[in-house]
Structure formats: structure tokens, C-alpha cells
Amino acid sequence: MFEVYITKAAKYLPNEAISNEEMEDYLGLINDAASKARRIILRNNKITSRYYAIDKTGKSTHNNAELTRNAVVQLFDENFTAQDLEVLSCGTSTPDIFLPSHAAMVHGLLKNKSVELNSSTGVCCAGMNSLKFGFLSVRSGNSTNAICTGSEKVSTWLNAQMYNHEAANLKSLEEQPIIAFKKDFLRWMLSDGAGAFLLENKPKGPISLKIEWMEAFSYAYELETCMYAGGDKLENGEIKAWSEYPPEQWLNESVFAIKQDVKLLDEFILSKGAESMGDAMSKNKITSDQVDYFIPHVSSNFFVEGLKKGLAEKGIGMADEKWFMNLSRVGNVGSASIYLALEELMNSGNLKKGDRILLSVPESGRFSFAYAYLTVC
């Protein structure tokens, strides 16, 4: 078994940062009316700026594969070129197309040479799953290096034109043309971007991060779906897939819109997060005293105090000075968020050899959680 190191990290955030007041200039107005939920949601999540790969007309400036490619190419230099790459592992919630896979589309843009590909799907844990594939590949000796990514292009999924047909249909039925909160909620939570890590079997440069271990947990066996797209939730909690709806309903009911069961989110995301993190730390025999930086992917600052309380009750509380987050500045970029936060910390100049970092990523899709423990060397 070989040791695995993150030797370089990069990010790509498209265009200019967008303030809260500008969001509807880009995403548009549903039924020509400002969202009544927007200000409340933004007040709770405390995100003040984010990035969209669209312009004010809603036209894309980049697709997901391009965002990812733009992060990946920053990892190449004279010491590690595109021709040296052996494995490309890409995670996303929002691929540009159903198939070919996201990693294949990114590889097509790199135009370097034949490499092994892996595409991880899901929600926020997709980025950690792509990282684990690269980690296991290098650790086993299958490869000497891997590039792993997390990326999202969600802005086009949130554009008003995706919901206007449903609003018009509601109006024709003499109902209020107001989109359900489970859909409107996420319009003010999510944004675009990509992050990338270079993994190698030897440390390199002034700072490398040794991946000590990675753990993942799923509670889908006992909990129903919370966040979803490409279907709708029935009263019994099951998901009816888009392919089982007649095409006219795809528009009338915004079947492809990203939706979230906020009640389920509130009930389980923190409790299962604390439970799984306690299990991961116990299995690997570490305590909070052995963590210098705690980087949690948190979808909203609304959950921070609850998470602190839940961790403290499990005996794994992290002191406030250990927390590192950039949610307010870059927004919730789903599977890319943990990459963007670690990239910022890794390139901050604040890390010193021996520092230990714990990454924590929850996913509300059907409640999955992923963790990684790193040592600065």
C-alpha cells in the first residue's frame, strides 16, 4: 500500500461574484414576481456572494465540463503535465448531459492522452466519492497519480424559465401561480464552480496533505429521499421517475427542477451528521484534540449552531477557532464546496507541518456523509 498526498489544489469560479440583490437579475422572476422567500432564506444561510456561469440574459458562459476543465488545467506545470496524468475522477450533481459520463466530457476537453476515468454522481458527496476513487487508486498502486474534482453548474437549473410553465399552468387552473417552497428554497442556496486536487504517491512542493483515511456512510436504508431532481415525491415517500410521467407533465410540474423536503432536512441532517462523524472518528481512533482545522461543508449557516451542539453532545465538539468555512463568500457549490474550502486553506499560507485537518461532507439526497482526515507535511 502506498501513501497518498494532495500535492496541489485549484479552483475555478466563473465570472464575477454576484451579490444577494443581483441574484434575480441572473435567475429571473417566476411569473414576473419577486420571490417572497428569497430574503428569508438568504438571511438564514448568510451567503453574501456567489458565482454563476450565466449572464443576465440567462445564457451560459461555461458548461459544467468547462468549469471542471478550467480547474484541472491549473494543476499542470513543468513538473506535472497533462501527459503525466493517469486517472481522472470527477464528481458532480449536475452533469451537462445524462451520458456520456461527466468525466468523459471533461477528458474530451483536456485532449491529452488515454487515462482511466471515473464519474461519481449523487449530491454533495459526489465530490468526496470522486476523491476516494483517486485515493484508493493511488493507495493500491493502481496508479501513481490521480486528479479528482467536484463541480456544479446549477444556475441554468434554477432559471425562472424552468418554472414559468408550471406557474402559467397553475394560473390556468385558477390556483395561485406560486412555486412550492421545496423548489423556490434551493434557488437562493446553490451556485456554480469547480475544484480540483492532484493526488500523488509522494509529497511535493512546500505543502502537501497526506490523506490518512476516508470514511463514508449512507442512511438510505432507513430514511426516505430528501433532495431530488428528475422526478417527484409521492405521498408514501417514494420517488416517481421522470420517465414515468407523460412529457407534458415534465413542464407543468417542473419535474426536472431540484427539490428539497425541508422538513426531513431539518429533522435528520444534523443528528445523522453527528452520529456518522462520531463513528468515523471512533473507528479511526482520533479525538477532537487531534484536529487542528475542521472544514465542514454546511449548506447554510442556519445549521452551524445546531451542528456544534450535536457534535458536543457526541463528545466530538470542535472549538470555534478550528472551524474553517468560506460559504458566505463563494456560496453553496454542492460537491465542489469541500474542494473550494480546502483549496483556500491549503493556499492561505497558514498551514504548518504537522497540522491535522478533518473534512466533513453531508448530503441530504437520501442522507449520506463522507469524511477525510489529512496531515500537513
Side-chain angles (χ1 to χ4, degrees):
M1 302 293 278
F2 295 83
E3 303 295 357
V4 185
Y5 302 86
I6 300 174
T7 58
K8 200 171 183 180
K11 68 172 180 287
Y12 186 79
L13 297 170
N15 305 316
E16 300 295 325
I18 295 167
S19 70
N20 290 351
E21 296 307 314
E22 297 175 286
M23 293 179 75
E24 286 186 314
D25 294 340
Y26 287 84
L27 299 182
L29 303 176
I30 298 174
N31 196 38
D32 296 321
S35 168
K36 294 181 179 179
R38 182 178 70 88
R39 292 188 184 279
I40 297 171
I41 295 165
L42 289 169
R43 185 167 65 242
N44 283 328
N45 67 30
K46 291 185 169 58
I47 298 171
T48 58
S49 63
R50 78 282 296 144
Y51 295 81
Y52 291 144
I54 55 174
D55 61 23
K56 287 187 177 182
T57 69
K59 182 179 179 182
S60 289
T61 58
H62 310 76
N63 63 26
N64 193 332
E66 290 168 336
L67 294 173
T68 310
R69 184 269 313 272
N70 289 353
V72 167
V73 295
Q74 296 176 58
L75 301 175
F76 300 138
D77 56 26
E78 64 277 7
N79 297 313
F80 185 87
T81 72
Q83 296 301 314
D84 297 315
L85 179 62
E86 297 176 23
V87 174
L88 178 64
S89 181
C90 300
T92 188
S93 314
T94 53
D96 298 312
I97 51 179
F98 290 156
L99 45 99
S101 75
H102 178 55
M105 301 310 290
V106 176
H107 187 219
L109 294 175
L110 290 176
K111 299 187 183 303
N112 53 342
K113 65 166 193 175
S114 178
V115 301
E116 182 176 358
L117 297 178
N118 173 64
S119 291
S120 298
T121 60
V123 195
C124 300
C125 285
M128 287 290 273
N129 293 340
S130 75
L131 178 61
K132 191 162 188 178
F133 184 92
F135 167 64
L136 293 175
S137 178
V138 175
R139 187 146 175 73
S140 67
N142 174 71
S143 61
T144 63
N145 66 67
I147 284 179
C148 306
T149 71
S151 65
E152 303 296 352
K153 167 64 183 302
V154 71
S155 53
T156 43
W157 294 45
L158 305 175
N159 195 284
Q161 65 181 354
M162 299 297 180
Y163 308 86
N164 279 332
H165 197 287
E166 180 183 354
N169 184 57
L170 289 170
K171 197 170 184 179
S172 70
L173 296 173
E174 298 184 350
E175 296 179 14
Q176 285 292 321
I178 298 173
I179 299 302
F181 184 73
K182 66 181 180 180
K183 300 172 187 175
D184 197 26
F185 172 74
L186 290 168
R187 296 188 75 219
W188 319 113
M189 297 285 288
L190 305 173
S191 50
D192 302 339
F197 297 156
L198 172 59
L199 274 54
E200 298 182 86
N201 61 7
K202 295 178 182 178
K204 187 171 67 177
I207 287 287
S208 290
L209 306 179
K210 180 184 175 184
I211 303 179
E212 303 286 356
W213 50 261
M214 296 187 71
E215 299 286 351
F217 303 82
S218 167
Y219 297 94
Y221 71 98
E222 62 177 352
L223 300 177
E224 66 184 55
T225 305
C226 177
M227 185 177 178
Y228 51 99
D232 215 347
K233 199 169 188 178
L234 305 179
E235 289 186 7
N236 64 3
E238 295 179 0
I239 298 294
K240 183 177 178 180
W242 64 271
S243 56
E244 297 178 18
Y245 285 90
E248 60 270 17
Q249 282 188 267
W250 298 348
L251 294 174
N252 289 343
E253 299 181 23
S254 303
V255 168
F256 288 95
I258 302 175
K259 299 168 277 288
Q260 188 155 47
D261 186 327
V262 182
K263 184 178 179 181
L264 268 182
L265 179 72
D266 188 54
E267 184 175 359
F268 293 112
I269 196 67
L270 296 179
S271 61
K272 291 301 185 183
E275 177 184 334
S276 59
M277 186 164 140
D279 289 346
M281 293 175 68
S282 176
K283 176 182 177 181
N284 291 281
K285 297 179 173 58
I286 68 163
T287 66
S288 299
D289 292 338
Q290 294 167 286
V291 176
D292 299 293
Y293 289 93
F294 176 51
I295 306 182
H297 165 51
V298 181
S299 63
S300 168
N301 267 290
F302 174 79
F303 293 114
V304 170
E305 290 306 315
L307 180 58
K308 288 180 179 178
K309 181 181 178 182
L311 296 180
E313 290 173 350
K314 288 285 185 180
I316 52 173
M318 299 289 171
D320 288 353
E321 61 269 20
K322 295 183 178 183
W323 288 58
F324 184 87
M325 296 174 60
N326 59 2
L327 174 69
S328 63
R329 300 188 299 279
V330 304
N332 176 2
V333 199
S335 65
S337 287
I338 201 68
Y339 286 77
L340 299 176
L342 185 60
E343 183 277 336
E344 185 172 322
L345 179 60
M346 189 174 179
N347 293 324
S348 68
N350 295 327
L351 293 177
K352 61 183 185 299
K353 293 188 187 304
D355 281 345
R356 296 151 300 183
I357 304 166
L358 180 62
L359 308 182
S360 167
V361 179
E363 167 180 307
S364 63
R366 199 155 176 173
F367 297 101
S368 299
F369 301 82
Y371 301 92
Y373 187 59
L374 319 171
T375 303
V376 180
C377 55

